[in-house]
Coordinates of all heavy atoms in Angstrom, one line a residue:
Chain V
L13 N 17.7 0.4 35.9 CA 17.2 -0.9 35.3 C 17.3 -1.0 34.0 O 17.2 -2.1 33.4 CB 16.0 -1.2 35.9 CG 15.9 -1.4 37.5 CD1 14.4 -1.7 38.0 CD2 16.8 -2.5 38.2
T21 N 22.1 -12.3 15.5 CA 21.5 -13.5 14.8 C 22.1 -13.8 13.5 O 22.9 -13.0 12.9 CB 19.9 -13.3 14.5 OG1 19.8 -12.6 13.3 CG2 19.3 -12.5 15.7
G38 N 3.1 -13.0 7.5 CA 4.2 -12.9 6.7 C 4.1 -11.6 5.8 O 4.8 -11.6 4.8
A39 N 3.5 -10.6 6.4 CA 3.5 -9.3 5.7 C 3.1 -8.2 6.7 O 2.1 -8.3 7.4 CB 2.5 -9.1 4.6
D52 N 14.3 1.2 8.6 CA 15.3 0.4 9.4 C 14.8 -0.5 10.5 O 15.3 -0.6 11.6 CB 16.3 1.4 10.0 CG 17.6 0.8 10.3 OD1 18.0 -0.2 9.7 OD2 18.4 1.4 11.1
L57 N 7.9 -9.5 13.7 CA 7.3 -10.8 14.2 C 6.2 -11.2 13.3 O 5.5 -10.4 12.7 CB 6.6 -10.2 15.5 CG 5.8 -11.4 16.3 CD1 5.9 -11.2 17.9 CD2 4.2 -11.2 16.0
I71 N 4.0 -24.9 1.8 CA 4.5 -23.7 0.8 C 5.7 -23.0 1.4 O 6.4 -22.6 0.7 CB 3.2 -22.8 0.5 CG1 2.2 -23.7 -0.4 CG2 3.6 -21.4 0.1 CD1 1.0 -23.0 -0.6
I106 N -8.0 -29.2 25.3 CA -6.6 -29.2 25.7 C -6.3 -30.4 26.6 O -7.2 -30.9 27.3 CB -6.4 -27.9 26.6 CG1 -4.9 -27.7 26.8 CG2 -7.1 -27.8 27.9 CD1 -4.4 -26.3 27.3
C129 N 4.9 -27.7 17.3 CA 5.0 -26.2 17.2 C 6.6 -25.9 17.0 O 6.8 -25.0 16.3 CB 4.6 -25.6 18.5 SG 4.8 -23.9 18.7
M142 N 9.3 -19.2 19.6 CA 8.8 -19.2 21.0 C 8.2 -20.5 21.5 O 7.6 -21.2 20.6 CB 7.7 -18.0 20.9 CG 8.1 -16.7 20.6 SD 9.4 -15.8 21.7 CE 8.4 -15.8 23.2
E146 N 0.0 -22.1 27.2 CA -1.4 -21.9 27.5 C -1.5 -20.5 27.8 O -0.9 -20.1 28.9 CB -2.0 -23.0 28.2 CG -3.5 -22.7 28.4 CD -4.2 -23.7 29.3 OE1 -3.6 -24.2 30.3 OE2 -5.4 -23.7 29.3
N174 N 13.0 -30.5 22.2 CA 12.8 -30.7 20.8 C 13.3 -29.7 19.8 O 13.2 -29.8 18.6 CB 11.2 -31.0 20.5 CG 10.9 -32.4 20.9 OD1 11.0 -33.3 20.0 ND2 10.4 -32.6 22.2
I252 N 5.8 1.2 26.7 CA 7.1 0.7 26.4 C 8.3 1.4 27.3 O 9.1 0.9 27.7 CB 7.4 1.0 24.9 CG1 6.5 -0.1 24.1 CG2 8.8 0.9 24.5 CD1 6.6 0.0 22.5
C303 N 10.9 13.0 10.6 CA 11.7 13.0 9.4 C 11.2 11.7 8.5 O 11.7 11.4 7.5 CB 13.1 12.8 9.6 SG 13.7 14.1 10.5
S311 N 0.7 16.6 3.7 CA 0.1 17.4 4.8 C -1.0 16.5 5.4 O -1.5 15.5 5.1 CB -0.6 18.6 4.1 OG -1.6 18.2 3.3
E323 N -8.6 5.6 -0.1 CA -7.5 5.4 -0.8 C -6.4 4.4 0.0 O -6.0 4.9 1.1 CB -6.7 6.6 -1.4 CG -7.3 7.4 -2.5 CD -7.3 6.7 -3.8 OE1 -6.4 5.6 -4.0 OE2 -8.1 6.8 -4.7
L329 N 0.7 5.2 4.0 CA 1.5 6.5 4.5 C 1.3 6.6 6.0 O 2.2 7.0 6.7 CB 1.0 7.7 3.8 CG 1.2 7.8 2.3 CD1 0.7 9.1 1.7 CD2 2.7 7.8 2.0
N330 N 0.1 6.3 6.5 CA 0.0 6.4 8.1 C 0.7 5.3 8.7 O 1.3 5.6 9.8 CB -1.5 6.2 8.4 CG -2.4 7.3 8.0 OD1 -2.0 8.4 7.5 ND2 -3.7 7.1 7.8
Y338 N 7.5 4.6 16.4 CA 7.8 3.6 17.2 C 9.4 3.2 17.1 O 10.1 3.2 18.2 CB 7.0 2.3 17.0 CG 5.9 2.2 18.0 CD1 4.8 3.1 17.8 CD2 5.7 1.2 19.0 CE1 3.7 3.0 18.7 CE2 4.6 1.1 19.8 CZ 3.6 2.0 19.7 OH 2.4 1.9 20.4
S348 N 19.4 7.5 24.8 CA 19.3 8.0 26.2 C 20.0 7.2 27.3 O 20.5 7.5 28.1 CB 17.8 8.5 26.5 OG 17.1 7.3 26.8
K355 N 16.1 8.3 32.3 CA 15.1 8.9 33.2 C 14.6 10.3 32.8 O 13.4 10.5 32.8 CB 15.7 9.0 34.7 CG 14.7 9.7 35.7 CD 13.6 8.8 36.1 CE 12.8 9.3 37.4 NZ 12.2 10.6 37.2
V358 N 12.4 9.8 29.7 CA 11.0 9.4 30.1 C 10.2 10.6 30.6 O 9.1 10.6 30.1 CB 11.2 8.3 31.1 CG1 9.9 7.9 31.6 CG2 11.9 6.9 30.7

Side-chain angles (χ1 to χ4, degrees):
Chain V
L13 296 178
T21 79
D52 202 20
L57 175 145
I71 282 173
I106 192 163
C129 181
M142 300 300 297
E146 185 186 16
N174 277 275
I252 289 176
C303 299
S311 67
E323 287 285 341
L329 296 179
N330 293 346
Y338 263 66
S348 69
K355 176 73 168 54
V358 173

